[in-house]
Amino acid sequence: MEFMYGQDPGAPVRSGVPEHGRIPKYYAAKVEIAALLAELGEGEVLPTERELAARFEVSRETLRQALRELVLEGRLRRAGRGTVVAGPKLEQPLALASYTEGVRGQGRRPGRHLVGLDRFPCPPALAADLGLEAGDPVWHMERVLLADDERVGLESTYVALARVPDLAADFEPDSSFYAYLRERLGIAFGDADERLETVLATPREALLIGTPGALPMLLIHRLSRDTGGRPLERVRSLYRGDRFSFTTHLGTPAGRS
């Protein structure tokens, strides 16, 4: 059998072509467009659908399927009435660090837009996570995450009012909550549990983030504790799957080989 379409001989990862070797037309067009993106570079405008369909000898609908996949993968983005080559994804570390630190570490400008800051009686399930009694007051802060003014995610933070009683008056909502806890209140993070999954945004979330509802999202649930082991915050962070990837460092546990 010949080597896979668009696949270098000996490459460590197989391309998306079935073993029978028959290449779907949209996938062949996708490979060709991907090669074109490398030539154009970030921010360059893609030729029109009509031009691309004629160039690769496929129907407009076949071409659109290829373009849709490249958009979902974050390699293309819509800009007005055209389509442009997207930049590299943001790499966010899976570590006990703030979103601000992760984005700044890549030379991007982090920001947040406050959607709402409310206080309410804590429901039983959340109370168990935060070490509270049901009905104790908690804050809920919801913010859109920005990178160079581009909307890239949505973050919901739940924290006991007793831990941050003056949050509404003292905290700047476009700044780092972790920095506020550390520098203003002297609260240091000790450890956290995280769970990562893929989801689709709800209609409300898609509207706030400015994405199509069919775009895959990366959802992180985090329960953080302070250095004394006391629960500190419950966070639900929703990230655009086309703009983010996550990294972590793995080591061998002590005593194992």
Side-chain angles (χ1 to χ4, degrees):
M1 181 185 297
E2 296 181 357
F3 65 85
M4 300 301 171
Y5 190 90
Q7 172 96 1
D8 293 332
V13 178
R14 294 172 61 87
S15 64
V17 181
E19 273 68 17
H20 54 55
R22 293 191 292 274
I23 303 164
K25 287 185 178 180
Y26 87 88
Y27 185 81
K30 177 181 172 183
V31 171
E32 296 285 3
I33 297 169
L36 176 61
L37 303 187
E39 296 175 11
L40 291 174
E42 180 180 349
E44 292 294 320
V45 180
L46 205 63
T48 66
E49 288 185 1
R50 183 185 299 275
E51 292 171 320
L52 290 172
R55 178 171 177 174
F56 301 130
E57 299 181 340
V58 295
S59 69
R60 295 278 289 273
E61 184 53 41
T62 296
L63 180 77
R64 286 171 185 151
Q65 184 177 356
L67 294 176
R68 281 194 295 268
E69 288 204 1
L70 290 166
V71 169
L72 290 175
E73 291 173 4
R75 304 178 71 178
L76 289 173
R77 61 182 175 84
R78 306 297 187 187
R81 299 182 64 182
T83 304
V84 302
V85 182
K89 289 187 178 185
L90 290 160
E91 293 185 3
Q92 188 75 352
L94 286 172
L96 196 52
S98 73
Y99 167 79
T100 299
E101 294 166 345
V103 173
R104 279 181 179 162
Q106 296 170 78
R108 304 285 296 273
R109 186 178 71 257
R112 293 176 175 85
H113 170 71
L114 183 67
V115 177
L117 175 60
D118 307 296
R119 50 186 289 183
F120 60 90
C122 191
L126 182 59
D129 284 343
L130 294 177
L132 302 174
E133 296 293 332
D136 286 350
V138 295
W139 291 110
H140 171 225
M141 179 168 58
E142 186 177 37
R143 298 182 291 175
V144 173
L145 303 175
L146 307 171
D148 291 340
D149 296 323
E150 178 187 13
R151 290 179 286 175
V152 294
L154 185 66
E155 180 183 76
S156 287
T157 302
Y158 302 88
V159 59
L161 185 136
R163 302 298 299 266
V164 286
D166 299 318
L167 185 65
D170 291 349
F171 178 63
E172 293 294 335
D174 62 347
S175 65
S176 168
F177 181 57
Y178 284 20
Y180 169 76
L181 292 175
R182 182 175 61 249
E183 297 167 9
R184 293 290 299 272
L185 303 180
I187 298 175
F189 283 83
D191 65 359
D193 295 318
E194 282 192 339
R195 178 166 56 88
L196 174 64
E197 59 183 309
T198 57
V199 298
L200 296 177
T202 66
R204 176 180 179 272
E205 291 166 340
L207 182 63
L208 286 171
I209 302 172
T211 60
L215 180 71
M217 310 292 284
L218 298 168
L219 175 61
I220 290 186
H221 303 271
R222 173 184 283 189
L223 176 61
S224 305
R225 290 171 286 270
D226 62 21
T227 52
R230 294 177 59 199
L232 181 54
E233 59 162 5
R234 164 65 77 185
V235 182
R236 181 184 186 275
S237 301
L238 192 65
Y239 297 93
R240 286 175 52 169
D242 64 331
R243 300 304 297 132
F244 271 91
S245 64
F246 289 87
T247 62
T248 189
H249 172 74
L250 301 177
T252 303
R256 295 186 182 181
S257 58

mmCIF file of all heavy atoms in Angstrom, residues 222-254:
data_model
loop_
_atom_site.group_PDB
_atom_site.id
_atom_site.type_symbol
_atom_site.label_atom_id
_atom_site.label_comp_id
_atom_site.label_asym_id
_atom_site.label_seq_id
_atom_site.Cartn_x
_atom_site.Cartn_y
_atom_site.Cartn_z
ATOM 1 N N ARG A 222 -12.329 22.896 38.966
ATOM 2 C CA ARG A 222 -11.228 22.956 39.934
ATOM 3 C C ARG A 222 -11.761 23.222 41.332
ATOM 4 O O ARG A 222 -12.604 24.095 41.527
ATOM 5 C CB ARG A 222 -10.223 24.051 39.559
ATOM 6 C CG ARG A 222 -9.140 24.272 40.616
ATOM 7 C CD ARG A 222 -8.207 25.422 40.287
ATOM 8 N NE ARG A 222 -7.231 25.051 39.265
ATOM 9 C CZ ARG A 222 -6.188 25.814 38.920
ATOM 10 N NH1 ARG A 222 -6.018 26.993 39.486
ATOM 11 N NH2 ARG A 222 -5.345 25.403 37.997
ATOM 12 N N LEU A 223 -11.265 22.461 42.298
ATOM 13 C CA LEU A 223 -11.517 22.727 43.712
ATOM 14 C C LEU A 223 -10.166 23.000 44.354
ATOM 15 O O LEU A 223 -9.314 22.110 44.423
ATOM 16 C CB LEU A 223 -12.197 21.540 44.390
ATOM 17 C CG LEU A 223 -12.429 21.679 45.905
ATOM 18 C CD1 LEU A 223 -13.338 22.871 46.200
ATOM 19 C CD2 LEU A 223 -13.023 20.398 46.484
ATOM 20 N N SER A 224 -9.972 24.239 44.795
ATOM 21 C CA SER A 224 -8.690 24.657 45.347
ATOM 22 C C SER A 224 -8.745 24.735 46.866
ATOM 23 O O SER A 224 -9.790 25.042 47.456
ATOM 24 C CB SER A 224 -8.286 26.029 44.794
ATOM 25 O OG SER A 224 -8.277 26.027 43.395
ATOM 26 N N ARG A 225 -7.592 24.473 47.473
ATOM 27 C CA ARG A 225 -7.457 24.569 48.930
ATOM 28 C C ARG A 225 -6.270 25.459 49.280
ATOM 29 O O ARG A 225 -5.324 25.585 48.493
ATOM 30 C CB ARG A 225 -7.258 23.167 49.538
ATOM 31 C CG ARG A 225 -8.507 22.285 49.467
ATOM 32 C CD ARG A 225 -8.209 20.852 49.881
ATOM 33 N NE ARG A 225 -7.475 20.160 48.838
ATOM 34 C CZ ARG A 225 -8.059 19.466 47.851
ATOM 35 N NH1 ARG A 225 -9.383 19.358 47.793
ATOM 36 N NH2 ARG A 225 -7.330 18.877 46.926
ATOM 37 N N ASP A 226 -6.324 26.065 50.470
ATOM 38 C CA ASP A 226 -5.202 26.883 50.914
ATOM 39 C C ASP A 226 -4.111 25.992 51.510
ATOM 40 O O ASP A 226 -4.227 24.758 51.528
ATOM 41 C CB ASP A 226 -5.666 27.966 51.894
ATOM 42 C CG ASP A 226 -6.290 27.396 53.173
ATOM 43 O OD1 ASP A 226 -6.021 26.217 53.510
ATOM 44 O OD2 ASP A 226 -7.031 28.129 53.841
ATOM 45 N N THR A 227 -3.045 26.612 51.996
ATOM 46 C CA THR A 227 -1.919 25.840 52.524
ATOM 47 C C THR A 227 -2.276 25.077 53.789
ATOM 48 O O THR A 227 -1.568 24.144 54.170
ATOM 49 C CB THR A 227 -0.729 26.767 52.802
ATOM 50 O OG1 THR A 227 -1.159 27.867 53.619
ATOM 51 C CG2 THR A 227 -0.149 27.321 51.497
ATOM 52 N N GLY A 228 -3.369 25.449 54.428
ATOM 53 C CA GLY A 228 -3.821 24.723 55.611
ATOM 54 C C GLY A 228 -4.776 23.586 55.285
ATOM 55 O O GLY A 228 -5.277 22.914 56.186
ATOM 56 N N GLY A 229 -5.053 23.385 53.968
ATOM 57 C CA GLY A 229 -5.941 22.307 53.551
ATOM 58 C C GLY A 229 -7.410 22.676 53.548
ATOM 59 O O GLY A 229 -8.262 21.816 53.273
ATOM 60 N N ARG A 230 -7.743 23.930 53.849
ATOM 61 C CA ARG A 230 -9.139 24.360 53.850
ATOM 62 C C ARG A 230 -9.612 24.649 52.434
ATOM 63 O O ARG A 230 -8.907 25.299 51.653
ATOM 64 C CB ARG A 230 -9.311 25.625 54.692
ATOM 65 C CG ARG A 230 -9.057 25.464 56.174
ATOM 66 C CD ARG A 230 -9.187 26.811 56.870
ATOM 67 N NE ARG A 230 -10.510 27.402 56.673
ATOM 68 C CZ ARG A 230 -10.773 28.698 56.858
ATOM 69 N NH1 ARG A 230 -9.796 29.536 57.202
ATOM 70 N NH2 ARG A 230 -11.999 29.152 56.687
ATOM 71 N N PRO A 231 -10.811 24.185 52.050
ATOM 72 C CA PRO A 231 -11.340 24.512 50.719
ATOM 73 C C PRO A 231 -11.420 26.024 50.539
ATOM 74 O O PRO A 231 -11.808 26.766 51.454
ATOM 75 C CB PRO A 231 -12.729 23.882 50.729
ATOM 76 C CG PRO A 231 -12.642 22.787 51.741
ATOM 77 C CD PRO A 231 -11.715 23.295 52.800
ATOM 78 N N LEU A 232 -11.030 26.477 49.355
ATOM 79 C CA LEU A 232 -10.958 27.911 49.110
ATOM 80 C C LEU A 232 -11.918 28.360 48.007
ATOM 81 O O LEU A 232 -12.655 29.337 48.171
ATOM 82 C CB LEU A 232 -9.523 28.292 48.735
ATOM 83 C CG LEU A 232 -9.238 29.770 48.459
ATOM 84 C CD1 LEU A 232 -9.697 30.639 49.634
ATOM 85 C CD2 LEU A 232 -7.756 29.969 48.178
ATOM 86 N N GLU A 233 -11.922 27.672 46.877
ATOM 87 C CA GLU A 233 -12.760 28.098 45.751
ATOM 88 C C GLU A 233 -13.165 26.886 44.926
ATOM 89 O O GLU A 233 -12.464 25.882 44.861
ATOM 90 C CB GLU A 233 -12.008 29.083 44.848
ATOM 91 C CG GLU A 233 -10.742 28.486 44.276
ATOM 92 C CD GLU A 233 -10.184 29.219 43.071
ATOM 93 O OE1 GLU A 233 -10.729 30.275 42.702
ATOM 94 O OE2 GLU A 233 -9.203 28.709 42.497
ATOM 95 N N ARG A 234 -14.310 27.009 44.301
ATOM 96 C CA ARG A 234 -14.749 26.071 43.273
ATOM 97 C C ARG A 234 -14.836 26.872 41.988
ATOM 98 O O ARG A 234 -15.497 27.912 41.935
ATOM 99 C CB ARG A 234 -16.108 25.470 43.632
ATOM 100 C CG ARG A 234 -16.831 24.783 42.486
ATOM 101 C CD ARG A 234 -16.123 23.559 41.961
ATOM 102 N NE ARG A 234 -16.275 22.399 42.802
ATOM 103 C CZ ARG A 234 -15.666 21.252 42.580
ATOM 104 N NH1 ARG A 234 -14.842 21.130 41.540
ATOM 105 N NH2 ARG A 234 -15.838 20.222 43.377
ATOM 106 N N VAL A 235 -14.132 26.406 40.942
ATOM 107 C CA VAL A 235 -14.068 27.148 39.677
ATOM 108 C C VAL A 235 -14.508 26.251 38.534
ATOM 109 O O VAL A 235 -14.124 25.078 38.467
ATOM 110 C CB VAL A 235 -12.643 27.670 39.397
ATOM 111 C CG1 VAL A 235 -12.612 28.472 38.100
ATOM 112 C CG2 VAL A 235 -12.145 28.527 40.549
ATOM 113 N N ARG A 236 -15.305 26.816 37.650
ATOM 114 C CA ARG A 236 -15.699 26.162 36.403
ATOM 115 C C ARG A 236 -15.200 27.041 35.265
ATOM 116 O O ARG A 236 -15.671 28.160 35.082
ATOM 117 C CB ARG A 236 -17.216 26.000 36.321
ATOM 118 C CG ARG A 236 -17.718 25.304 35.065
ATOM 119 C CD ARG A 236 -19.241 25.289 35.047
ATOM 120 N NE ARG A 236 -19.768 24.514 33.925
ATOM 121 C CZ ARG A 236 -19.954 25.002 32.691
ATOM 122 N NH1 ARG A 236 -19.658 26.270 32.425
ATOM 123 N NH2 ARG A 236 -20.446 24.218 31.739
ATOM 124 N N SER A 237 -14.215 26.548 34.514
ATOM 125 C CA SER A 237 -13.605 27.330 33.442
ATOM 126 C C SER A 237 -13.864 26.665 32.102
ATOM 127 O O SER A 237 -13.554 25.484 31.920
ATOM 128 C CB SER A 237 -12.092 27.463 33.662
ATOM 129 O OG SER A 237 -11.808 28.097 34.894
ATOM 130 N N LEU A 238 -14.431 27.433 31.188
ATOM 131 C CA LEU A 238 -14.769 26.935 29.860
ATOM 132 C C LEU A 238 -13.857 27.628 28.852
ATOM 133 O O LEU A 238 -13.826 28.857 28.769
ATOM 134 C CB LEU A 238 -16.237 27.262 29.561
ATOM 135 C CG LEU A 238 -16.907 26.601 28.364
ATOM 136 C CD1 LEU A 238 -17.002 25.091 28.569
ATOM 137 C CD2 LEU A 238 -18.303 27.184 28.167
ATOM 138 N N TYR A 239 -13.094 26.834 28.093
ATOM 139 C CA TYR A 239 -12.134 27.380 27.142
ATOM 140 C C TYR A 239 -12.496 26.957 25.716
ATOM 141 O O TYR A 239 -12.921 25.825 25.488
ATOM 142 C CB TYR A 239 -10.722 26.877 27.439
ATOM 143 C CG TYR A 239 -10.169 27.300 28.771
ATOM 144 C CD1 TYR A 239 -10.301 26.484 29.896
ATOM 145 C CD2 TYR A 239 -9.493 28.506 28.921
ATOM 146 C CE1 TYR A 239 -9.786 26.864 31.121
ATOM 147 C CE2 TYR A 239 -8.974 28.891 30.141
ATOM 148 C CZ TYR A 239 -9.120 28.064 31.242
ATOM 149 O OH TYR A 239 -8.605 28.436 32.448
ATOM 150 N N ARG A 240 -12.243 27.840 24.771
ATOM 151 C CA ARG A 240 -12.471 27.514 23.373
ATOM 152 C C ARG A 240 -11.513 26.420 22.920
ATOM 153 O O ARG A 240 -10.292 26.564 23.040
ATOM 154 C CB ARG A 240 -12.278 28.761 22.506
ATOM 155 C CG ARG A 240 -13.399 29.757 22.617
ATOM 156 C CD ARG A 240 -13.107 31.015 21.840
ATOM 157 N NE ARG A 240 -12.723 30.752 20.449
ATOM 158 C CZ ARG A 240 -12.618 31.709 19.519
ATOM 159 N NH1 ARG A 240 -12.885 32.963 19.837
ATOM 160 N NH2 ARG A 240 -12.249 31.403 18.303
ATOM 161 N N GLY A 241 -12.066 25.345 22.374
ATOM 162 C CA GLY A 241 -11.227 24.245 21.930
ATOM 163 C C GLY A 241 -10.362 24.592 20.734
ATOM 164 O O GLY A 241 -9.337 23.944 20.502
ATOM 165 N N ASP A 242 -10.759 25.624 19.972
ATOM 166 C CA ASP A 242 -9.958 26.010 18.808
ATOM 167 C C ASP A 242 -8.846 26.977 19.165
ATOM 168 O O ASP A 242 -7.996 27.282 18.329
ATOM 169 C CB ASP A 242 -10.855 26.633 17.729
ATOM 170 C CG ASP A 242 -11.501 27.940 18.187
ATOM 171 O OD1 ASP A 242 -11.733 28.108 19.405
ATOM 172 O OD2 ASP A 242 -11.793 28.794 17.327
ATOM 173 N N ARG A 243 -8.818 27.475 20.409
ATOM 174 C CA ARG A 243 -7.809 28.467 20.796
ATOM 175 C C ARG A 243 -6.923 28.007 21.939
ATOM 176 O O ARG A 243 -5.970 28.710 22.288
ATOM 177 C CB ARG A 243 -8.500 29.789 21.191
ATOM 178 C CG ARG A 243 -9.339 30.438 20.118
ATOM 179 C CD ARG A 243 -8.551 30.706 18.832
ATOM 180 N NE ARG A 243 -7.470 31.649 19.041
ATOM 181 C CZ ARG A 243 -6.221 31.454 18.625
ATOM 182 N NH1 ARG A 243 -5.893 30.346 17.985
ATOM 183 N NH2 ARG A 243 -5.305 32.356 18.841
ATOM 184 N N PHE A 244 -7.235 26.858 22.544
ATOM 185 C CA PHE A 244 -6.472 26.420 23.715
ATOM 186 C C PHE A 244 -6.009 24.979 23.603
ATOM 187 O O PHE A 244 -6.695 24.118 23.054
ATOM 188 C CB PHE A 244 -7.324 26.543 24.987
ATOM 189 C CG PHE A 244 -7.216 27.874 25.658
ATOM 190 C CD1 PHE A 244 -8.095 28.881 25.325
ATOM 191 C CD2 PHE A 244 -6.236 28.135 26.605
ATOM 192 C CE1 PHE A 244 -8.009 30.128 25.930
ATOM 193 C CE2 PHE A 244 -6.135 29.367 27.211
ATOM 194 C CZ PHE A 244 -7.025 30.370 26.874
ATOM 195 N N SER A 245 -4.840 24.740 24.143
ATOM 196 C CA SER A 245 -4.380 23.395 24.466
ATOM 197 C C SER A 245 -3.821 23.456 25.890
ATOM 198 O O SER A 245 -3.492 24.540 26.385
ATOM 199 C CB SER A 245 -3.298 22.921 23.484
ATOM 200 O OG SER A 245 -2.135 23.729 23.588
ATOM 201 N N PHE A 246 -3.730 22.299 26.530
ATOM 202 C CA PHE A 246 -3.273 22.258 27.915
ATOM 203 C C PHE A 246 -2.036 21.377 28.037
ATOM 204 O O PHE A 246 -1.920 20.348 27.374
ATOM 205 C CB PHE A 246 -4.383 21.754 28.835
ATOM 206 C CG PHE A 246 -5.489 22.753 29.003
ATOM 207 C CD1 PHE A 246 -6.545 22.802 28.109
ATOM 208 C CD2 PHE A 246 -5.455 23.672 30.029
ATOM 209 C CE1 PHE A 246 -7.543 23.746 28.232
ATOM 210 C CE2 PHE A 246 -6.451 24.616 30.169
ATOM 211 C CZ PHE A 246 -7.501 24.658 29.271
ATOM 212 N N THR A 247 -1.122 21.804 28.870
ATOM 213 C CA THR A 247 0.129 21.081 29.051
ATOM 214 C C THR A 247 0.332 20.746 30.527
ATOM 215 O O THR A 247 -0.180 21.440 31.415
ATOM 216 C CB THR A 247 1.327 21.916 28.574
ATOM 217 O OG1 THR A 247 1.410 23.121 29.367
ATOM 218 C CG2 THR A 247 1.181 22.306 27.111
ATOM 219 N N THR A 248 1.087 19.690 30.758
ATOM 220 C CA THR A 248 1.451 19.330 32.124
ATOM 221 C C THR A 248 2.760 18.552 32.090
ATOM 222 O O THR A 248 3.166 18.053 31.036
ATOM 223 C CB THR A 248 0.353 18.499 32.803
ATOM 224 O OG1 THR A 248 0.646 18.345 34.193
ATOM 225 C CG2 THR A 248 0.228 17.117 32.169
ATOM 226 N N HIS A 249 3.412 18.471 33.223
ATOM 227 C CA HIS A 249 4.642 17.700 33.336
ATOM 228 C C HIS A 249 4.349 16.475 34.182
ATOM 229 O O HIS A 249 3.748 16.572 35.255
ATOM 230 C CB HIS A 249 5.747 18.526 34.016
ATOM 231 C CG HIS A 249 6.976 17.731 34.329
ATOM 232 N ND1 HIS A 249 7.876 17.341 33.368
ATOM 233 C CD2 HIS A 249 7.452 17.258 35.505
ATOM 234 C CE1 HIS A 249 8.842 16.640 33.934
ATOM 235 N NE2 HIS A 249 8.616 16.582 35.228
ATOM 236 N N LEU A 250 4.757 15.309 33.705
ATOM 237 C CA LEU A 250 4.532 14.064 34.408
ATOM 238 C C LEU A 250 5.859 13.493 34.892
ATOM 239 O O LEU A 250 6.849 13.497 34.169
ATOM 240 C CB LEU A 250 3.840 13.053 33.486
ATOM 241 C CG LEU A 250 2.494 13.464 32.903
ATOM 242 C CD1 LEU A 250 1.968 12.386 31.959
ATOM 243 C CD2 LEU A 250 1.490 13.752 33.994
ATOM 244 N N GLY A 251 5.861 12.983 36.101
ATOM 245 C CA GLY A 251 7.041 12.328 36.652
ATOM 246 C C GLY A 251 6.669 10.978 37.241
ATOM 247 O O GLY A 251 5.493 10.675 37.429
ATOM 248 N N THR A 252 7.647 10.188 37.518
ATOM 249 C CA THR A 252 7.410 8.874 38.133
ATOM 250 C C THR A 252 7.155 9.068 39.614
ATOM 251 O O THR A 252 7.938 9.710 40.313
ATOM 252 C CB THR A 252 8.650 7.965 37.946
ATOM 253 O OG1 THR A 252 8.924 7.863 36.546
ATOM 254 C CG2 THR A 252 8.384 6.586 38.530
ATOM 255 N N PRO A 253 6.036 8.532 40.159
ATOM 256 C CA PRO A 253 5.763 8.662 41.588
ATOM 257 C C PRO A 253 6.903 8.048 42.418
ATOM 258 O O PRO A 253 7.539 7.075 41.996
ATOM 259 C CB PRO A 253 4.469 7.877 41.784
ATOM 260 C CG PRO A 253 3.838 7.848 40.419
ATOM 261 C CD PRO A 253 4.982 7.828 39.440
ATOM 262 N N ALA A 254 7.137 8.634 43.568
ATOM 263 C CA ALA A 254 8.210 8.143 44.438
ATOM 264 C C ALA A 254 7.974 6.674 44.785
ATOM 265 O O ALA A 254 6.861 6.256 45.082
ATOM 266 C CB ALA A 254 8.266 8.985 45.706
#
